[in-house]
Amino acid sequence: MKEHSTKLTLLTCLSDGQFHSGEKLGELLGISRAAVSKHIKGIQCWGIDIFRIQGRGYQLADPLEMLSQSSLVAASDDASVDVIPIIDSTNQYLLDRTSELSSGSVCLAEYQAAGRGRRGREWVSPFGANLYLSMYWKLDAGMAAAMGLSLVVGVAVVEALEKIGVQGIKLKWPNDLYYNDKKLAGILVELSGQAGGAANIVIGLGLNMSMKSEVEGIDQPWTSLTEVCNGEVPNRTELAQALICAWHTALTDYELNGMSGFVPRWNRLDNFLGRNVRLLIGPRELEGEVMGINEQGAVLLKTHNGLESHIGGEISLRKND
Ligand code: ATP
Ligand code: BTN
């Protein structure tokens, strides 16, 4: 963190959207103009566009509003809220601390250097453009109940977005949010062993908000809330507050009542309901029509052999139409 503090101070200066000369920035930070230039290059590596115009100085290409830790803390009850601007992975941060956390503790970041998706795939995480949010939850029902969590949290996220007027977002089994058949967000559920009968769970969400189309490293069609909301994206801190609150409610409900109430809620939002898909199950491939999910959180597929249910971390769903 300390090694990033100069860059973060520079960014805070630039976040007013004005030009700032290298000389003034250097004076403010007690460093040379050459050092300013070096730090600006480092900031650009986090995925932020900064212009430099001879005689005027540096300016951010786009407005930047950083997450407000104080607003997030004020809105939380007992659980901790850690906003770590530069991090490897918000999921990893919580997984490393499960013994000292209470259920509902969250970690948010502006940039992840090693954001990850399922099966260790990279989650592209440029600075300030998206939401990277993770929550620790001690699941008393144990490991077996963890499979349903990405579905429960997915439903909670889409419904929370609908509540603030963001419509049209769908779900792809078991862990993605989609818009217009493109990936908008992903949910990653990870476990760090048992605490008695309970399981230590970390749930992470990467939600694209205003990610630039030039971003590299994503190997499938993707989108951001800018497209969903015609440029009027919600404030990131307020959205994070709404999501934290929605996750609390959904996880508590899941612990008390299980999956049953979530089944119709998921099915209403299923991007592939009634559509033909392929299920990739290790080396095996199955074709069929999606019939929603069951109370275990398994995907239901109408195949030439009849109705089948499939569940497991190694299964991927692909559209087939
Ligand atoms: P499945 O798990 O069903 O195979 P998937 O292809 O979406 O689905 P995941 O592991 O869930 O795979 O997600 C990781 C994938 O998401 C990466 O392979 C990458 O293509 C894509 N990806 C990485 N970063 C982003 C991002 N910010 N927005 C959208 N997609 C991303
Ligand atoms: C996926 O689609 O496979 C899930 C992507 C999950 C990304 C989020 S971003 C916050 C949290 N930290 C991580 O390293 N991953 C999750």
Side-chain angles (χ1 to χ4, degrees):
M1 174 63 200
K2 193 150 186 296
E3 79 261 35
H4 302 307
S5 64
T6 308
K7 292 188 188 66
L8 290 169
T9 311
L10 272 174
L11 259 182
T12 309
C13 295
L14 292 168
S15 65
D16 64 5
Q18 304 301 308
F19 275 102
H20 293 267
S21 73
E23 195 181 342
K24 285 266 157 58
L25 289 170
E27 272 170 24
L28 197 80
L29 288 154
I31 57 176
S32 67
R33 275 165 57 183
V36 169
S37 158
K38 200 178 115 225
H39 284 298
I40 294 281
K41 287 199 179 83
I43 295 172
Q44 287 166 327
C45 291
W46 293 342
I48 297 182
D49 279 350
I50 300 175
F51 296 125
R52 179 168 173 263
I53 293 185
Q54 199 75 41
R56 297 191 73 187
Y58 299 99
Q59 186 189 39
L60 286 179
D62 300 291
L64 178 68
E65 196 179 358
M66 298 216 223
L67 292 164
S68 161
Q69 162 128 21
S70 54
S71 311
L72 287 159
V73 169
S76 92
D77 303 328
D78 301 336
S80 62
V81 177
D82 288 346
V83 179
I84 316 282
I86 309 294
I87 206 167
D88 285 344
S89 153
T90 53
N91 263 33
Q92 192 59 50
Y93 178 88
L94 294 182
L95 284 168
D96 290 342
R97 290 165 179 77
T98 52
S99 58
E100 47 199 79
L101 296 173
S102 57
S103 260
S105 297
V106 296
C107 173
L108 296 106
E110 300 285 6
Y111 171 86
Q112 295 186 119
R116 59 187 182 231
R118 291 211 300 163
R119 301 193 280 271
R121 290 181 198 130
E122 180 193 5
W123 188 257
V124 174
S125 309
F127 192 103
N130 302 327
L131 207 58
Y132 315 114
L133 164 67
S134 298
M135 181 181 281
Y136 166 71
W137 198 265
K138 189 166 154 231
L139 193 66
D140 290 327
M143 298 251 193
M147 183 60 209
L149 282 179
S150 70
L151 288 85
V152 164
V153 167
V155 168
V157 174
V158 179
E159 290 179 350
L161 285 161
E162 287 180 334
K163 238 179 170 170
I164 57 164
V166 182
Q167 307 296 335
I169 299 172
K170 300 279 185 176
L171 292 162
K172 172 181 167 251
W173 188 90
N175 69 319
D176 293 337
L177 272 67
Y178 262 48
Y179 182 76
N180 279 348
D181 270 356
K182 291 175 286 193
K183 183 155 168 159
L184 172 75
I187 294 162
L188 178 66
V189 178
E190 296 184 287
L191 292 92
S192 94
Q194 304 272 114
N200 286 314
I201 307 280
V202 173
I203 303 153
L205 168 77
L207 170 63
N208 300 335
M209 296 200 60
S210 50
M211 190 157 68
K212 291 282 194 62
S213 54
E214 306 87 61
V215 79
E216 285 174 5
I218 305 182
D219 57 13
Q220 58 178 296
W222 62 269
T223 189
S224 285
L225 280 186
T226 28
E227 182 189 347
V228 187
C229 310
N230 281 322
E232 298 286 308
V233 291
N235 172 280
R236 281 188 310 139
T237 300
E238 286 170 18
L239 179 57
Q241 278 167 345
L243 293 180
I244 292 166
C245 180
W247 288 16
H248 267 257
T249 310
L251 291 168
T252 309
D253 182 1
Y254 179 62
E255 289 222 284
L256 282 174
N257 307 309
M259 196 69 189
S260 61
F262 289 94
V263 172
R265 288 161 70 185
W266 171 281
N267 288 345
R268 177 179 74 86
L269 298 168
D270 192 326
N271 190 54
F272 292 98
L273 195 75
R275 289 173 65 180
N276 262 308
V277 300
R278 286 178 299 132
L279 273 196
L280 315 181
I281 312 172
R284 226 154 51 88
E285 208 175 298
L286 255 181
E287 265 185 51
E289 180 187 337
V290 172
M291 305 301 288
I293 59 164
N294 67 14
E295 294 202 356
Q296 282 69 51
V299 60
L300 299 174
L301 211 63
K302 190 159 84 185
T303 71
H304 59 270
N305 289 323
L307 192 63
E308 297 182 8
S309 62
H310 291 275
I311 193 162
E314 295 305 311
I315 305 179
S316 293
L317 187 150
R318 296 281 178 270
K319 76 170 171 178
N320 201 24
D321 51 19

